[in-house]
Amino acid sequence: MSAPESEPAVRPSPPSVVHDGALELLRDGRLEVAGRLVEATNMTLYCSIALGERTAACVYKPVRGERPLWDFPDGTLAAREVAAFEVSEATGWGIVPPTVYRDGPFGPGMCQLWIDTEREIDLMRLVRSRNPVVRRMAVFDAVVNNADRKGGHLLPMPSGHVYGVDHGVCFSAEDKLRTVLWQWRGKPLAREAVTMLAKLEREIEDGALGRRLRELLTLAEVEATWSRVRRLLDTGVHPYPSEDWPAIPWPPI
């Protein structure tokens, strides 16, 4: 196992949107469809949501709008998005915006807070950077086995925080990591990542996170998630690309 790598002392803190009532708003608010994001592969609806005086924009992906995939069971992508949020919360890094599973105008699906990004940031430069916040996302993707981390799935904020979205093809029991964030391959994990992974291992094995994931995923997928965390701790390094499948999604952005 490689020695953990030191890291810069200053890094942006995750936003506190979850603690500002976003989950309650997403779960219980009145959902109204305003339009459709036509670039998305699956049905992705831009909505407004309101609960009392609180309002926000959100993304709603109904299960009935999911395109069947040969390597993921039908009707499971929304639950995988919620599972990614649950893991994100357990890391303490706030990578995934607040996300819930709820009923909506087109049936049950996932509902996620809409994030307005910093438009002046060069996304390609961010993808290729050594930004420690992006590095967190690379570790997160290795944990959830993200099969489709495109550059366009990174949402940079004015504060320096970076969100990640579109996690419907995560958590396969088979290794499927495909990402544009390979710049740390083989490098020792940062100390904060090692600390986080040790906590995550305990939470999946015998904690609230493991119980929640078993509600959203199959037992084999939850066990595989624990195994990926254990493997990262055992090796102490960021994973290498596989030689058995394309390591970078297409298109990359």
Side-chain angles (χ1 to χ4, degrees), residues 109-122:
M110 84 83 155
C111 187
Q112 185 174 83
L113 191 69
W114 177 266
I115 300 297
D116 287 316
T117 63
E118 173 55 72
R119 299 184 181 276
E120 300 302 316
I121 291 178
D122 185 330

Side-chain angles (χ1 to χ4, degrees), residues 97 114-121 123 126 152-159 161-165:
W114 177 266
I115 300 297
D116 287 316
T117 63
E118 173 55 72
R119 299 184 181 276
E120 300 302 316
I121 291 178
L123 193 56
L126 179 65
H153 298 166
L154 275 63
L155 306 182
M157 305 294 291
S159 66
H161 185 68
V162 182
Y163 281 110
V165 295

Side-chain angles (χ1 to χ4, degrees), residues 1-5 93 139 142-143 187-205 224-239:
M1 174 177 172
S2 299
E5 194 173 88
W93 290 346
V139 176
V143 169
K187 300 292 186 183
L189 293 166
R191 292 184 185 278
E192 68 158 7
V194 174
T195 301
M196 180 278 292
L197 290 166
K199 173 178 175 288
L200 207 59
E201 181 189 28
R202 296 190 298 271
E203 280 293 308
I204 296 173
E205 186 174 30
T225 303
W226 181 89
S227 295
R228 288 190 296 272
V229 173
R230 185 67 257 170
R231 185 163 65 240
L232 287 166
L233 286 168
D234 287 343
T235 63
V237 300
H238 288 263

Side-chain angles (χ1 to χ4, degrees), residues 36-222:
R36 180 173 181 178
L37 306 182
V38 295
E39 301 88 354
T41 302
N42 299 296
M43 182 185 289
T44 303
L45 303 173
Y46 179 79
C47 302
S48 63
I49 192 162
L51 183 64
E53 298 297 317
R54 288 180 290 164
T55 61
C58 64
V59 170
Y60 162 52
K61 297 182 182 180
V63 171
R64 71 168 63 175
E66 294 178 3
R67 180 172 59 87
L69 301 171
W70 69 269
D71 52 349
F72 285 87
D74 292 352
T76 67
L77 305 191
R80 294 173 193 278
E81 297 245 27
V82 178
F85 169 71
E86 297 290 349
V87 172
S88 168
E89 286 300 284
T91 67
W93 290 346
I95 289 171
V96 181
T99 309
V100 303
Y101 193 93
R102 60 162 291 170
D103 201 9
F106 296 97
M110 84 83 155
C111 187
Q112 185 174 83
L113 191 69
W114 177 266
I115 300 297
D116 287 316
T117 63
E118 173 55 72
R119 299 184 181 276
E120 300 302 316
I121 291 178
D122 185 330
L123 193 56
M124 286 302 298
R125 179 174 294 179
L126 179 65
V127 165
R128 296 193 300 265
S129 75
R130 301 279 177 166
N131 185 316
V133 182
V134 176
R135 186 175 188 177
R136 286 177 171 180
M137 192 173 299
V139 176
F140 170 80
D141 284 343
V143 169
V144 303
N145 198 17
N146 194 343
D148 192 38
R149 174 61 75 202
K150 295 182 172 73
H153 298 166
L154 275 63
L155 306 182
M157 305 294 291
S159 66
H161 185 68
V162 182
Y163 281 110
V165 295
D166 285 342
H167 298 104
V169 288
C170 292
F171 296 103
S172 173
E174 301 178 10
D175 288 335
K176 289 182 178 290
L177 184 59
R178 285 190 291 267
T179 175
V180 294
L181 305 177
W182 288 115
Q183 55 266 53
W184 294 282
R185 61 192 181 279
K187 300 292 186 183
L189 293 166
R191 292 184 185 278
E192 68 158 7
V194 174
T195 301
M196 180 278 292
L197 290 166
K199 173 178 175 288
L200 207 59
E201 181 189 28
R202 296 190 298 271
E203 280 293 308
I204 296 173
E205 186 174 30
D206 191 29
L209 177 60
R211 293 190 292 273
R212 180 61 175 140
L213 291 181
R214 286 190 288 273
E215 296 172 357
L216 297 163
L217 308 169
T218 67
L219 181 58
E221 289 167 342
V222 177

